[in-house]
Amino acid sequence: MLFRWSSVLASAGLLWPSASALLRFSCSQLVVERLDPLVNPGVVGSPHLHQVIGGNAFNASMDPKTLNIPEAATCTTCTFAEDFSNYWTAVMFFRARNGTYKRVQQKGNVYFEESNGGMTVYYIPSYNNTKVTAFKPGFRMITGDPTIRTREEAKRYRQLTYTCLQDPMTRTGETLDMPTKPCPAGIMANLRFPTCWDGVNLDSPDHASHVSYPESGTFEEGGPCPASHPIPQLFYEIVWDTTPFNDKSLWPEDGSQPFVWSYGDATGFGNHGDYMFGWKGNALQIAMDTNCNGFRCPELGYQEIKKGNQCTKKRVVDEDIDGCKYAVMS
């Protein structure tokens, strides 16, 4: 399976000859919840709905001064058993021409089909054999901006994209905005996080200025960091099963694409994601140093997807999250 997936990545243009290793693994759904401990810490009922994966220590506050995530968590939805981090994004809705909204479900990615929704997570150490520093306890960051609604603004985050899946293996044709035609195998949201760290701060007031993308080029091209602190590229793939909504007679009468994020964005330009590091001990650094490759790593503990599927949290905010007859934005 690992050899086959490496071949798929290479043929899709996602592996360069100098790429030595990557972690690619499944994390099932933990909860779909209106909490955001990074942007709205302590608030029960954040401005918009999120889908969350990772360790079950996830809660409304997650104060790094008092919370040791790997110690507090008792299970994780991820297949690497030492990863209790939390990863989250907004939720996608289908907007029908009759004014109703329906939540779009997620589905397992290629080779992870048995996953209960969730995401595929990548950690990529380097494309030019540069040693990277794994994230530290208390590290957190976001990428993207939910207020963006124009292409020019979205170009600041050129590695936040969408793929209109012609089949599950499609890895070409990425766009900054939502696909405008029905996608035969769903829509995949791709979120590539910054790969340069200031080497000092575990967070920043905007949760973004302590990290950056390369000074020039991209991470995949070996673009240099402004300082000497390259970090792994964190990359999410989320497969949204839009296929139940491919009948265009249900789409808005003006012909516009019908999918909207839970913060009210129908352009897709506001694509964004959040991350809180929670790997146990130095497991991630070991994986980065030993060039682990794929969904198994001899140096890391592993659990089957079906076990990850059993790790869930009850929602704190009691509300209907699956559909409504009014705008999804609060």
Side-chain angles (χ1 to χ4, degrees):
M1 179 189 291
L2 178 55
F3 172 78
R4 283 197 296 153
W5 182 247
S6 296
S7 299
V8 169
L9 288 177
S11 66
L14 293 181
L15 285 182
W16 277 253
S18 58
S20 56
L22 60 82
L23 297 183
R24 176 188 187 266
F25 58 100
S26 174
C27 295
S28 307
Q29 201 81 72
L30 178 70
V31 67
V32 178
E33 176 75 280
R34 246 181 345 112
L35 297 181
D36 190 339
L38 187 52
V39 178
N40 305 109
V43 176
V44 176
S46 61
H48 62 264
L49 192 66
H50 299 95
Q51 58 89 18
V52 187
I53 63 170
N56 68 343
F58 184 81
N59 65 74
S61 299
M62 301 193 77
D63 185 345
K65 296 178 181 178
T66 58
L67 178 67
N68 183 313
I69 293 175
E71 289 185 0
T74 59
C75 69
T76 178
T77 72
C78 299
T79 52
F80 283 120
E82 289 136 310
D83 184 13
F84 298 96
S85 307
N86 287 116
Y87 315 78
W88 65 97
T89 74
V91 174
M92 186 181 289
F93 282 81
F94 170 74
R95 177 190 56 188
R97 68 171 55 187
N98 65 3
T100 61
Y101 288 80
K102 182 70 175 177
R103 181 164 67 95
V104 178
Q105 302 291 323
Q106 292 145 260
K107 62 180 180 179
N109 205 342
V110 177
Y111 302 132
F112 302 143
E113 289 85 356
E114 64 182 302
S115 173
N116 176 27
M119 312 185 210
T120 299
V121 176
Y122 294 74
Y123 287 84
I124 307 173
S126 174
Y127 281 97
N128 56 4
N129 296 313
T130 301
K131 181 178 173 62
V132 299
T133 301
F135 308 111
K136 306 295 185 183
F139 184 91
R140 45 197 61 196
M141 64 177 167
I142 64 174
T143 188
D145 182 342
T147 67
I148 286 176
R149 294 295 183 272
T150 69
R151 185 175 303 276
E152 285 305 308
E153 291 176 301
K155 286 179 180 178
R156 290 163 40 203
Y157 304 99
R158 60 190 181 281
Q159 292 192 303
L160 304 183
T161 62
Y162 302 90
T163 304
C164 184
L165 297 175
Q166 304 306 301
D167 59 58
M169 294 288 197
T170 304
R171 293 298 183 276
T172 57
E174 294 182 37
T175 60
L176 291 173
D177 53 349
M178 289 274 198
T180 57
K181 297 179 180 179
C183 298
I187 295 173
M188 186 163 70
N190 313 292
L191 294 90
R192 299 171 181 87
F193 281 72
T195 52
C196 304
W197 174 46
D198 67 11
V200 178
N201 297 291
L202 300 175
D203 196 5
S204 49
D206 62 359
H207 314 296
S209 59
H210 61 307
V211 292
S212 69
Y213 289 100
E215 286 185 307
S216 60
T218 65
F219 173 75
E220 294 87 350
E221 297 165 347
C225 283
S228 58
H229 300 286
I231 50 179
Q233 177 160 75
L234 178 64
F235 173 23
Y236 303 166
E237 287 180 338
I238 309 106
V239 181
W240 297 95
D241 187 9
T242 56
T243 59
F245 311 107
N246 279 354
D247 180 356
K248 293 198 73 172
S249 70
L250 301 175
W251 290 27
E253 292 185 22
D254 63 4
S256 59
Q257 73 82 26
F259 299 104
V260 58
W261 287 116
S262 51
Y263 49 93
D265 175 22
T267 67
F269 294 135
N271 193 6
H272 65 287
D274 301 61
Y275 172 66
M276 283 193 180
F277 173 82
W279 284 76
K280 189 173 183 179
N282 63 344
L284 182 60
Q285 187 67 63
I286 290 173
M288 296 295 95
D289 291 345
T290 54
N291 290 337
C292 288
N293 205 327
F295 71 101
R296 291 288 184 102
C297 178
E299 289 78 12
L300 300 180
Y302 178 81
Q303 67 178 12
E304 297 292 337
I305 290 175
K306 62 184 178 181
K307 185 171 183 180
N309 285 342
Q310 297 170 4
C311 183
T312 60
K313 276 190 77 81
K314 184 178 179 180
R315 286 199 311 275
V316 175
V317 180
D318 184 15
E319 61 183 346
D320 179 9
I321 63 170
D322 290 317
C324 55
K325 294 183 178 179
Y326 46 85
V328 295
M329 187 176 180
S330 298

